[in-house]
Amino acid sequence: MSNKALIRIVILMMTLALITACIVPPRTNLAVNGSQGGGQKGPGGGPASVARPLLTVDETGSTQVESAQLAAVLDTMTLGELSAEESAALTYMREEEKLAHDVYVTLGEQWQLPIFTNIAGSETTHTEAIKTLLDRYGLADPVAGNGVGVFTDATLQGLYDQLVADGAQSLAAALTVGATIEDLDIVDLEQRIAQTDNADIKLVFSNLMQGSRNHLRAFVSTLERQTGERYQPQYLDQTAYDAIISSDMERGGRGQGRGQR
């Protein structure tokens, strides 16, 4: 074969390669959510896991914190410094969430209504979420060794005793107690969110507040359905309360949720 013929063959092959490159687009990887693109990479260069919500909600409004997902998210966040006010907030809210659990367990045993048992289970995950923050910051756990109805904080002990006594009077009173606890919890969480600059505390408290709004809706609707009575807010102002009750159950998220204020 002559040199001229060899050159013509090489030129032809290069031309065909260029034409093929123009016609066939480069192959793209599918991201983990099913859309095109390279997608985020996880440890070791593999695809990152699909972001899952921190909260799960059932048809009754019972809202649980997903502990494994919360731990995974917190592991990605910077550990800040705590002020005395922030430390006190974590300690207090650990017991306040326990108060909700303990009251619902006690009233559930008396009234045998599923809403108390269901939401008590959710409150276990709420108080454990705050325990995760206590451990993260090396703070002592105020509920360690305390059974149902036992509290380190004297104010919360007195509140528990009063709420259980009130809830024992009638089913309507018991459901009103449930709504009152969630009403108080929303206000306390909102105040403590405003007092911290730490993103991890804001994250946990905001998700707990979202859960409390769902629980408030559940108790209010059950109160009306079971007894015909209407709940009057004890801690929220009327405008904030009406905004919560008039909106749908919130379905969870990594951040602050819908954040009615």
Side-chain angles (χ1 to χ4, degrees):
M1 181 182 295
S2 67
N3 289 339
K4 288 183 178 182
L6 182 60
I7 291 172
R8 289 192 187 99
I9 292 172
V10 171
I11 292 173
L12 178 60
M13 292 176 64
M14 292 177 63
T15 302
L16 289 173
L18 288 172
I19 292 172
T20 301
C22 292
I23 294 174
V24 180
R27 183 177 179 180
T28 57
N29 294 324
L30 291 180
V32 292
N33 62 2
S35 62
Q36 288 188 340
Q40 290 183 324
K41 299 295 183 180
S49 298
V50 178
R52 290 159 40 206
L54 295 183
L55 302 178
T56 57
V57 187
D58 68 17
E59 66 279 0
T60 70
S62 180
T63 307
Q64 301 197 40
V65 177
E66 294 296 309
S67 59
Q69 180 65 4
L70 173 62
V73 172
L74 290 177
D75 281 346
T76 70
M77 304 180 77
T78 301
L79 184 65
E81 295 184 2
L82 288 186
S83 65
E85 186 176 55
E86 289 167 329
S87 297
L90 290 175
T91 299
Y92 187 85
M93 291 310 303
R94 165 76 160 152
E95 284 208 290
E96 186 170 305
E97 297 292 344
K98 178 182 183 293
L99 177 140
H101 168 272
D102 291 3
V103 171
Y104 300 156
V105 166
T106 303
L107 295 181
E109 291 175 351
Q110 178 174 357
W111 295 106
Q112 297 296 306
L113 202 62
I115 188 172
F116 292 112
T117 302
N118 292 342
I119 295 184
S122 292
E123 296 296 346
T124 297
T125 71
H126 290 204
T127 192
E128 286 300 315
I130 300 181
K131 174 64 161 52
T132 300
L133 289 177
L134 293 177
D135 293 343
R136 179 173 164 85
Y137 284 98
L139 298 177
D141 182 8
V143 312
N146 291 343
V148 171
V150 179
F151 299 88
T152 301
D153 186 277
T155 299
L156 290 175
Q157 183 66 65
L159 183 59
Y160 170 83
D161 295 339
Q162 184 62 55
L163 290 171
V164 168
D166 291 345
Q169 301 304 309
S170 67
L171 177 58
L175 291 168
T176 298
V177 163
T180 301
I181 289 172
E182 302 302 337
D183 184 349
L184 172 63
D185 206 29
I186 292 166
V187 171
D188 282 350
L189 286 166
E190 190 167 40
Q191 290 175 348
R192 284 159 175 78
I193 289 168
Q195 293 168 355
T196 182
D197 294 324
N198 285 12
D200 51 356
I201 297 176
K202 285 181 179 289
L203 173 73
V204 173
F205 282 4
S206 295
N207 276 272
L208 296 186
M209 188 164 64
Q210 185 175 342
S212 289
R213 290 194 294 263
N214 282 345
H215 293 169
L216 176 61
R217 295 180 183 105
F219 276 116
V220 168
S221 65
T222 304
L223 173 65
E224 294 182 3
R225 185 172 64 255
Q226 293 276 346
T227 71
E229 296 189 18
R230 301 191 67 180
Y231 176 72
Q232 297 299 318
Q234 305 297 305
Y235 300 95
L236 286 160
D237 65 59
Q238 191 67 47
T239 300
Y241 171 77
D242 290 342
I244 293 170
I245 297 304
S246 63
S247 59
D248 295 333
M249 289 289 179
E250 299 166 66
R251 296 297 170 185
R254 287 186 53 167
Q256 296 185 3
R258 291 159 52 148
Q260 290 101 324
R261 306 298 285 256

